[in-house]
Coordinates of all heavy atoms in Angstrom, one line a residue:
M1392 N 3.0 -2.1 -89.3 CA 2.4 -3.4 -88.8 C 3.1 -3.9 -87.5 O 2.5 -4.3 -86.6 CB 2.5 -4.4 -89.9 CG 1.7 -5.7 -89.6 SD -0.1 -5.3 -89.4 CE -0.6 -6.8 -88.5
N1393 N 4.4 -3.8 -87.6 CA 5.2 -4.2 -86.5 C 4.9 -3.4 -85.2 O 4.9 -3.9 -84.1 CB 6.7 -4.0 -86.8 CG 7.5 -5.2 -86.4 OD1 7.0 -6.1 -85.7 ND2 8.8 -5.2 -86.7
R1394 N 4.6 -2.1 -85.5 CA 4.3 -1.2 -84.4 C 2.9 -1.6 -83.7 O 2.8 -1.5 -82.5 CB 4.1 0.2 -84.9 CG 4.8 1.2 -84.1 CD 4.8 2.6 -84.7 NE 4.5 3.6 -83.6 CZ 4.2 4.8 -83.9 NH1 4.0 5.2 -85.1 NH2 4.0 5.6 -82.9
V1395 N 2.0 -2.0 -84.5 CA 0.7 -2.5 -84.0 C 0.9 -3.7 -83.1 O 0.3 -3.7 -82.0 CB -0.3 -2.8 -85.2 CG1 -1.6 -3.4 -84.6 CG2 -0.6 -1.6 -86.0
I1396 N 1.7 -4.6 -83.5 CA 1.9 -5.8 -82.7 C 2.6 -5.4 -81.4 O 2.2 -5.9 -80.3 CB 2.8 -6.8 -83.5 CG1 1.9 -7.4 -84.7 CG2 3.2 -8.0 -82.6 CD1 2.7 -8.2 -85.7
T1397 N 3.6 -4.6 -81.5 CA 4.2 -4.1 -80.3 C 3.3 -3.4 -79.3 O 3.3 -3.7 -78.1 CB 5.4 -3.1 -80.7 OG1 6.2 -3.7 -81.7 CG2 6.2 -2.8 -79.5
L1398 N 2.4 -2.6 -79.9 CA 1.4 -1.9 -79.0 C 0.4 -2.9 -78.4 O 0.2 -2.9 -77.2 CB 0.6 -0.9 -79.9 CG 1.2 0.5 -80.0 CD1 0.4 1.3 -81.0 CD2 1.3 1.1 -78.6
V1399 N 0.0 -3.9 -79.2 CA -0.9 -4.9 -78.6 C -0.2 -5.7 -77.5 O -0.8 -5.9 -76.4 CB -1.4 -5.9 -79.8 CG1 -2.1 -7.1 -79.2 CG2 -2.3 -5.2 -80.7
L1400 N 1.0 -6.1 -77.8 CA 1.7 -6.8 -76.7 C 2.0 -6.0 -75.5 O 1.8 -6.5 -74.4 CB 3.1 -7.3 -77.3 CG 3.0 -8.4 -78.3 CD1 4.4 -8.7 -78.9 CD2 2.5 -9.7 -77.6
L1401 N 2.2 -4.7 -75.7 CA 2.4 -3.8 -74.6 C 1.1 -3.7 -73.7 O 1.1 -3.8 -72.5 CB 2.8 -2.4 -75.1 CG 3.3 -1.4 -74.1 CD1 4.7 -1.9 -73.5 CD2 3.5 0.0 -74.6
F1402 N 0.0 -3.5 -74.4 CA -1.3 -3.4 -73.7 C -1.6 -4.7 -73.0 O -2.1 -4.7 -71.9 CB -2.4 -3.1 -74.7 CG -2.5 -1.6 -75.0 CD1 -2.4 -1.1 -76.2 CD2 -2.8 -0.7 -73.9 CE1 -2.5 0.3 -76.5 CE2 -2.9 0.6 -74.2 CZ -2.8 1.1 -75.4
L1403 N -1.3 -5.8 -73.7 CA -1.5 -7.1 -73.1 C -0.7 -7.3 -71.8 O -1.2 -7.7 -70.8 CB -1.1 -8.2 -74.1 CG -1.7 -9.6 -73.7 CD1 -3.2 -9.7 -73.8 CD2 -1.0 -10.7 -74.6
A1404 N 0.6 -6.8 -71.9 CA 1.5 -6.9 -70.7 C 0.9 -6.1 -69.6 O 0.9 -6.5 -68.4 CB 2.9 -6.5 -71.1
I1405 N 0.5 -4.8 -69.9 CA 0.0 -3.9 -68.9 C -1.3 -4.6 -68.3 O -1.5 -4.6 -67.1 CB -0.3 -2.5 -69.5 CG1 1.0 -1.9 -69.8 CG2 -1.1 -1.7 -68.5 CD1 0.9 -0.6 -70.7
F1406 N -2.1 -5.1 -69.2 CA -3.4 -5.7 -68.7 C -3.1 -6.8 -67.7 O -3.7 -6.9 -66.7 CB -4.2 -6.2 -69.9 CG -5.4 -6.9 -69.5 CD1 -6.6 -6.2 -69.1 CD2 -5.5 -8.3 -69.6 CE1 -7.7 -6.9 -68.8 CE2 -6.6 -9.0 -69.3 CZ -7.8 -8.2 -68.9
L1407 N -2.2 -7.7 -68.1 CA -1.8 -8.8 -67.3 C -1.2 -8.3 -65.9 O -1.6 -8.9 -64.9 CB -0.8 -9.7 -68.0 CG -1.4 -10.6 -69.1 CD1 -0.3 -11.4 -69.8 CD2 -2.4 -11.6 -68.5
L1408 N -0.4 -7.3 -66.0 CA 0.2 -6.8 -64.7 C -0.9 -6.3 -63.8 O -0.9 -6.6 -62.6 CB 1.2 -5.7 -65.1 CG 2.6 -6.2 -65.4 CD1 3.5 -5.0 -65.8 CD2 3.2 -6.9 -64.2
I1409 N -1.9 -5.5 -64.4 CA -2.9 -4.9 -63.6 C -3.8 -6.0 -63.0 O -4.1 -6.0 -61.8 CB -3.8 -3.9 -64.5 CG1 -2.9 -2.7 -64.7 CG2 -5.1 -3.6 -63.7 CD1 -3.6 -1.8 -65.8
T1410 N -4.2 -7.0 -63.8 CA -5.1 -8.0 -63.3 C -4.3 -8.8 -62.2 O -4.9 -9.3 -61.2 CB -5.6 -8.9 -64.4 OG1 -4.5 -9.4 -65.1 CG2 -6.5 -8.2 -65.3
R1411 N -3.0 -9.0 -62.4 CA -2.3 -9.8 -61.4 C -2.2 -9.1 -60.1 O -2.4 -9.7 -59.0 CB -0.9 -10.1 -62.0 CG -0.1 -11.0 -61.0 CD 1.2 -11.5 -61.7 NE 0.9 -12.5 -62.7 CZ 1.9 -13.2 -63.3 NH1 3.1 -12.9 -63.0 NH2 1.6 -14.1 -64.1
F1412 N -2.1 -7.8 -60.1 CA -2.0 -7.0 -58.9 C -3.3 -6.9 -58.2 O -3.4 -6.9 -57.0 CB -1.4 -5.6 -59.1 CG 0.1 -5.6 -59.1 CD1 0.8 -5.3 -60.3 CD2 0.8 -6.0 -58.0 CE1 2.2 -5.3 -60.3 CE2 2.2 -6.0 -58.0 CZ 2.9 -5.7 -59.2
R1413 N -4.4 -6.8 -59.1 CA -5.7 -6.6 -58.5 C -6.2 -7.9 -57.9 O -6.8 -7.9 -56.8 CB -6.7 -6.2 -59.6 CG -6.8 -4.7 -59.7 CD -7.9 -4.3 -60.5 NE -8.0 -2.9 -60.7 CZ -8.9 -2.3 -61.5 NH1 -9.7 -3.0 -62.2 NH2 -9.0 -1.0 -61.6
K1414 N -6.1 -8.9 -58.7 CA -6.7 -10.2 -58.3 C -5.7 -10.9 -57.2 O -4.8 -11.5 -57.6 CB -6.8 -11.1 -59.5 CG -7.9 -12.2 -59.2 CD -7.8 -13.3 -60.2 CE -8.8 -13.2 -61.3 NZ -8.7 -14.2 -62.4
K1415 N -6.1 -10.7 -56.0 CA -5.3 -11.4 -55.0 C -5.8 -12.8 -54.9 O -7.0 -13.0 -55.0 CB -5.6 -10.7 -53.6 CG -4.9 -9.4 -53.5 CD -5.2 -8.7 -52.1 CE -4.6 -7.3 -52.1 NZ -5.1 -6.6 -50.9
P1416 N -4.9 -13.7 -54.8 CA -5.4 -15.1 -54.8 C -6.2 -15.3 -53.5 O -5.9 -14.8 -52.4 CB -4.1 -15.9 -54.7 CG -3.1 -14.9 -54.2 CD -3.5 -13.6 -54.7
P1417 N -7.4 -15.9 -53.7 CA -8.2 -16.1 -52.5 C -7.5 -16.9 -51.4 O -7.0 -18.0 -51.7 CB -9.4 -16.8 -53.0 CG -9.0 -17.5 -54.3 CD -7.9 -16.6 -54.9
E1418 N -7.4 -16.2 -50.3 CA -6.6 -16.9 -49.2 C -7.5 -18.0 -48.6 O -8.6 -17.7 -48.1 CB -6.2 -15.9 -48.1 CG -5.1 -15.1 -48.6 CD -4.7 -14.0 -47.6 OE1 -4.8 -14.3 -46.4 OE2 -4.3 -12.9 -48.0
P1419 N -7.1 -19.2 -48.7 CA -7.9 -20.3 -48.1 C -8.0 -20.1 -46.6 O -7.0 -19.7 -45.9 CB -7.2 -21.6 -48.5 CG -5.8 -21.1 -48.7 CD -5.8 -19.7 -49.2
E1420 N -9.2 -20.3 -46.1 CA -9.4 -20.2 -44.7 C -8.4 -21.1 -44.0 O -8.4 -22.3 -44.3 CB -10.8 -20.6 -44.3 CG -11.3 -20.3 -42.9 CD -11.7 -18.8 -42.8 OE1 -11.8 -18.1 -43.8 OE2 -11.8 -18.3 -41.7
P1421 N -7.6 -20.6 -43.1 CA -6.6 -21.5 -42.5 C -7.4 -22.5 -41.6 O -8.3 -22.1 -40.8 CB -5.7 -20.6 -41.6 CG -6.5 -19.3 -41.5 CD -7.5 -19.2 -42.6
P1422 N -7.0 -23.7 -41.7 CA -7.7 -24.7 -40.9 C -7.4 -24.5 -39.4 O -6.3 -24.0 -39.1 CB -7.1 -26.1 -41.3 CG -5.8 -25.7 -41.9 CD -5.9 -24.3 -42.5
P1423 N -8.4 -24.7 -38.6 CA -8.1 -24.4 -37.2 C -6.9 -25.2 -36.7 O -6.7 -26.4 -37.0 CB -9.4 -25.0 -36.5 CG -10.1 -25.8 -37.5 CD -9.7 -25.3 -38.8
A1424 N -6.1 -24.5 -36.0 CA -4.8 -25.1 -35.5 C -5.1 -26.4 -34.8 O -6.0 -26.4 -34.0 CB -4.1 -24.1 -34.6
P1425 N -4.4 -27.4 -35.1 CA -4.6 -28.6 -34.4 C -4.5 -28.4 -32.9 O -3.5 -28.0 -32.4 CB -3.6 -29.6 -34.9 CG -2.5 -28.7 -35.5 CD -3.2 -27.5 -36.0
S1426 N -5.6 -28.6 -32.3 CA -5.6 -28.3 -30.8 C -4.8 -29.3 -30.1 O -4.5 -30.4 -30.6 CB -7.1 -28.4 -30.3 OG -7.6 -29.6 -30.6
E1427 N -4.3 -28.8 -29.0 CA -3.5 -29.7 -28.2 C -4.2 -30.9 -27.8 O -5.5 -30.9 -27.7 CB -3.1 -28.9 -26.9 CG -1.9 -29.4 -26.2 CD -1.5 -28.6 -25.0 OE1 -2.1 -27.5 -24.9 OE2 -0.8 -29.1 -24.1
N1428 N -3.6 -32.0 -27.6 CA -4.2 -33.2 -27.1 C -5.1 -33.0 -25.9 O -4.6 -32.3 -25.0 CB -3.2 -34.3 -26.8 CG -2.8 -35.1 -28.0 OD1 -3.5 -35.0 -29.0 ND2 -1.8 -35.9 -27.9
M1429 N -6.3 -33.4 -26.0 CA -7.2 -33.3 -24.9 C -7.2 -34.5 -24.0 O -7.1 -35.6 -24.6 CB -8.6 -33.0 -25.4 CG -8.7 -31.7 -26.2 SD -8.4 -30.2 -25.2 CE -10.0 -30.0 -24.5
V1430 N -7.2 -34.3 -22.8 CA -7.2 -35.5 -21.9 C -8.4 -35.3 -21.0 O -9.0 -34.2 -20.9 CB -5.9 -35.6 -21.0 CG1 -4.7 -35.9 -21.9 CG2 -5.7 -34.3 -20.3
R1431 N -8.8 -36.4 -20.3 CA -10.0 -36.4 -19.5 C -9.6 -36.6 -18.1 O -8.8 -37.4 -17.8 CB -10.9 -37.6 -20.0 CG -12.2 -37.6 -19.4 CD -13.0 -38.7 -20.1 NE -14.3 -39.0 -19.4 CZ -14.4 -39.8 -18.4 NH1 -13.4 -40.5 -18.0 NH2 -15.6 -40.0 -17.8
C1432 N -10.2 -35.7 -17.3 CA -9.9 -35.9 -15.8 C -10.4 -37.2 -15.4 O -11.6 -37.5 -15.6 CB -10.6 -34.7 -15.1 SG -10.4 -34.9 -13.3
A1433 N -9.6 -38.0 -14.7 CA -10.0 -39.3 -14.3 C -10.9 -39.2 -13.1 O -11.6 -40.2 -12.8 CB -8.7 -40.1 -13.9
H1434 N -11.1 -38.1 -12.5 CA -11.9 -37.9 -11.4 C -13.3 -37.4 -11.8 O -14.3 -38.1 -11.5 CB -11.3 -37.0 -10.3 CG -12.1 -36.9 -9.1 ND1 -12.2 -38.0 -8.2 CD2 -12.9 -35.9 -8.5 CE1 -13.0 -37.6 -7.2 NE2 -13.4 -36.4 -7.4
C1435 N -13.4 -36.3 -12.5 CA -14.7 -35.7 -12.8 C -15.0 -35.9 -14.3 O -16.2 -35.6 -14.6 CB -14.7 -34.2 -12.4 SG -13.6 -33.2 -13.3
G1436 N -14.1 -36.2 -15.1 CA -14.4 -36.5 -16.5 C -14.3 -35.3 -17.4 O -14.7 -35.4 -18.6
V1437 N -14.0 -34.1 -16.8 CA -13.9 -32.9 -17.7 C -12.7 -33.1 -18.6 O -11.7 -33.7 -18.3 CB -13.8 -31.7 -16.8 CG1 -12.4 -31.5 -16.2 CG2 -14.2 -30.4 -17.5
H1438 N -12.9 -32.5 -19.8 CA -11.8 -32.6 -20.8 C -11.0 -31.3 -20.7 O -11.6 -30.2 -20.7 CB -12.4 -32.8 -22.2 CG -12.8 -34.2 -22.4 ND1 -14.1 -34.6 -22.1 CD2 -12.2 -35.3 -23.0 CE1 -14.2 -35.9 -22.4 NE2 -13.1 -36.3 -22.9
L1439 N -9.7 -31.4 -20.8 CA -8.8 -30.2 -20.7 C -7.6 -30.5 -21.5 O -7.2 -31.7 -21.8 CB -8.5 -29.9 -19.3 CG -7.6 -30.8 -18.5 CD1 -7.0 -30.0 -17.3 CD2 -8.4 -32.0 -17.9
P1440 N -6.9 -29.4 -22.0 CA -5.7 -29.7 -22.7 C -4.6 -30.4 -21.9 O -4.5 -30.1 -20.7 CB -5.2 -28.2 -23.1 CG -6.4 -27.4 -22.9 CD -7.2 -28.0 -21.9
K1441 N -3.9 -31.2 -22.5 CA -2.9 -32.1 -21.8 C -2.0 -31.2 -21.0 O -1.6 -31.5 -19.9 CB -2.2 -33.0 -22.8 CG -1.5 -34.1 -22.1 CD -0.9 -35.0 -23.2 CE -0.2 -36.2 -22.5 NZ 0.4 -37.1 -23.5
G1442 N -1.6 -30.1 -21.6 CA -0.6 -29.2 -21.0 C -1.1 -28.6 -19.7 O -0.3 -28.2 -18.8
E1443 N -2.4 -28.5 -19.6 CA -3.0 -27.9 -18.3 C -3.4 -29.0 -17.3 O -3.8 -28.6 -16.2 CB -4.2 -27.1 -18.7 CG -3.9 -25.8 -19.5 CD -5.2 -25.1 -19.9 OE1 -6.2 -25.2 -19.2 OE2 -5.1 -24.4 -20.9
S1444 N -3.2 -30.2 -17.7 CA -3.7 -31.3 -16.8 C -2.6 -31.6 -15.8 O -1.4 -31.3 -16.1 CB -4.1 -32.5 -17.6 OG -3.0 -33.1 -18.2
I1445 N -3.0 -32.3 -14.8 CA -2.0 -32.8 -13.8 C -1.9 -34.3 -14.1 O -3.0 -35.0 -14.1 CB -2.4 -32.5 -12.4 CG1 -2.3 -30.9 -12.2 CG2 -1.6 -33.2 -11.4 CD1 -3.1 -30.4 -11.0
T1446 N -0.7 -34.7 -14.4 CA -0.6 -36.1 -14.7 C -0.1 -36.9 -13.6 O 0.9 -36.5 -12.9 CB 0.4 -36.3 -15.9 OG1 -0.1 -35.4 -17.0 CG2 0.4 -37.7 -16.4
A1447 N -0.7 -38.0 -13.3 CA -0.2 -38.9 -12.3 C -0.3 -40.3 -12.9 O -1.4 -40.9 -13.1 CB -1.1 -38.8 -11.0
G1448 N 0.9 -40.8 -13.1 CA 1.0 -42.1 -13.7 C 0.4 -42.0 -15.1 O 0.9 -41.2 -15.9
Q1449 N -0.6 -42.9 -15.4 CA -1.2 -42.8 -16.8 C -2.5 -42.0 -16.8 O -3.1 -41.9 -17.8 CB -1.6 -44.3 -17.1 CG -0.4 -45.2 -17.3 CD 0.4 -44.9 -18.6 OE1 -0.1 -44.7 -19.6 NE2 1.7 -44.8 -18.4
Q1450 N -2.8 -41.4 -15.6 CA -4.0 -40.7 -15.5 C -3.8 -39.2 -15.5 O -2.8 -38.7 -15.1 CB -4.8 -41.1 -14.3 CG -5.2 -42.6 -14.4 CD -6.0 -43.0 -13.1 OE1 -5.5 -42.8 -12.0 NE2 -7.1 -43.7 -13.3
H1451 N -4.8 -38.4 -15.9 CA -4.8 -37.0 -16.0 C -5.9 -36.4 -15.1 O -7.0 -37.0 -15.1 CB -4.9 -36.5 -17.4 CG -3.8 -37.1 -18.3 ND1 -2.6 -36.6 -18.4 CD2 -3.9 -38.1 -19.1 CE1 -1.9 -37.3 -19.3 NE2 -2.7 -38.3 -19.7
F1452 N -5.6 -35.3 -14.5 CA -6.6 -34.7 -13.7 C -6.7 -33.2 -14.0 O -5.7 -32.6 -14.4 CB -6.2 -34.9 -12.2 CG -6.1 -36.3 -11.8 CD1 -4.9 -37.0 -11.9 CD2 -7.3 -37.0 -11.4 CE1 -4.8 -38.3 -11.5 CE2 -7.2 -38.4 -11.1 CZ -6.0 -39.0 -11.2
C1453 N -7.8 -32.6 -13.7 CA -8.0 -31.2 -14.0 C -7.4 -30.3 -13.0 O -7.1 -29.2 -13.2 CB -9.5 -30.9 -14.2 SG -10.5 -31.2 -12.7
S1454 N -7.3 -30.9 -11.8 CA -6.7 -30.1 -10.7 C -6.0 -31.0 -9.7 O -6.3 -32.2 -9.7 CB -7.8 -29.3 -10.0 OG -8.7 -30.1 -9.4
D1455 N -5.2 -30.4 -8.9 CA -4.5 -31.2 -7.9 C -5.5 -31.8 -6.9 O -5.4 -32.9 -6.4 CB -3.5 -30.3 -7.2 CG -2.4 -31.2 -6.6 OD1 -1.9 -32.2 -7.3 OD2 -2.0 -30.9 -5.4
A1456 N -6.6 -31.0 -6.6 CA -7.6 -31.5 -5.7 C -8.2 -32.8 -6.2 O -8.5 -33.7 -5.4 CB -8.7 -30.4 -5.5
H1457 N -8.5 -32.8 -7.5 CA -9.1 -34.0 -8.0 C -8.1 -35.1 -8.1 O -8.5 -36.3 -7.9 CB -9.6 -33.7 -9.4 CG -11.0 -33.1 -9.4 ND1 -11.7 -32.8 -10.5 CD2 -11.7 -32.7 -8.3 CE1 -12.9 -32.3 -10.2 NE2 -12.9 -32.1 -8.8
R1458 N -6.9 -34.8 -8.3 CA -5.9 -35.9 -8.2 C -5.8 -36.5 -6.8 O -5.9 -37.7 -6.7 CB -4.5 -35.3 -8.6 CG -3.4 -36.4 -8.6 CD -2.0 -35.7 -8.9 NE -1.6 -34.9 -7.8 CZ -1.0 -35.3 -6.7 NH1 -0.7 -36.6 -6.5 NH2 -0.6 -34.4 -5.7
L1459 N -5.8 -35.6 -5.8 CA -5.8 -36.1 -4.4 C -7.1 -36.9 -4.1 O -7.1 -37.9 -3.5 CB -5.6 -35.0 -3.5 CG -4.2 -34.3 -3.6 CD1 -4.2 -33.0 -2.7 CD2 -3.1 -35.3 -3.1
A1460 N -8.2 -36.3 -4.6 CA -9.5 -37.0 -4.3 C -9.5 -38.4 -4.9 O -10.0 -39.3 -4.4 CB -10.6 -36.1 -4.8
H1461 N -9.0 -38.4 -6.2 CA -9.0 -39.7 -6.9 C -8.1 -40.7 -6.2 O -8.4 -41.9 -6.1 CB -8.6 -39.5 -8.3 CG -8.9 -40.6 -9.2 ND1 -10.1 -40.9 -9.6 CD2 -8.0 -41.6 -9.7 CE1 -10.1 -42.0 -10.4 NE2 -8.8 -42.4 -10.5
M1462 N -6.9 -40.2 -5.7 CA -6.0 -41.1 -5.0 C -6.7 -41.6 -3.7 O -6.5 -42.8 -3.4 CB -4.7 -40.3 -4.6 CG -3.9 -39.9 -5.8 SD -3.3 -41.2 -6.8 CE -2.4 -40.4 -8.0
D1463 N -7.4 -40.8 -3.0 CA -8.1 -41.2 -1.8 C -9.1 -42.3 -2.1 O -9.3 -43.2 -1.4 CB -8.7 -40.0 -1.1 CG -7.7 -39.1 -0.5 OD1 -6.5 -39.5 -0.3 OD2 -8.1 -38.0 -0.1
K1464 N -9.8 -42.0 -3.2 CA -10.9 -43.0 -3.6 C -10.3 -44.3 -4.0 O -10.9 -45.4 -3.7 CB -11.7 -42.3 -4.8 CG -13.1 -42.9 -4.8 CD -13.9 -42.1 -5.9 CE -13.5 -42.5 -7.3 NZ -14.3 -41.8 -8.3
T1465 N -9.2 -44.3 -4.8 CA -8.8 -45.5 -5.4 C -7.8 -46.2 -4.5 O -7.6 -47.4 -4.6 CB -8.1 -45.3 -6.7 OG1 -7.1 -44.3 -6.6 CG2 -9.1 -44.9 -7.8
E1466 N -7.1 -45.5 -3.6 CA -6.1 -46.1 -2.7 C -6.4 -45.8 -1.3 O -5.8 -44.9 -0.7 CB -4.7 -45.6 -3.1 CG -4.2 -46.1 -4.4 CD -2.9 -45.3 -4.9 OE1 -2.2 -44.9 -4.0 OE2 -2.7 -45.3 -6.0
P1467 N -7.4 -46.4 -0.7 CA -7.7 -46.1 0.7 C -6.6 -46.6 1.6 O -6.2 -47.8 1.4 CB -9.0 -46.9 0.9 CG -9.2 -47.9 -0.2 CD -8.2 -47.5 -1.3
S1468 N -6.2 -45.8 2.5 CA -5.1 -46.2 3.3 C -5.5 -46.3 4.8 O -6.4 -45.6 5.2 CB -3.9 -45.2 3.2 OG -4.3 -43.9 3.4
Ligands
ZN1479 ZN1 -11.6 -33.1 -12.4

């Protein structure tokens, strides 16, 4: 009788090991990486990552040309 219990436990252990190896935990879809802060070009309104923008004071621009154009527009000299 003791042998039967041992065998059952052995089979159970093997079964558990097999199912554990087979059943990979479903990998949750990684949430999209939080995108870098987007800023808006003060001149043309295009949105771009903050790291790629040109910052002048509190304003961001998509390019140096727009920064200059915006400066010309807002600060006529
Ligand atoms: Zn722009």
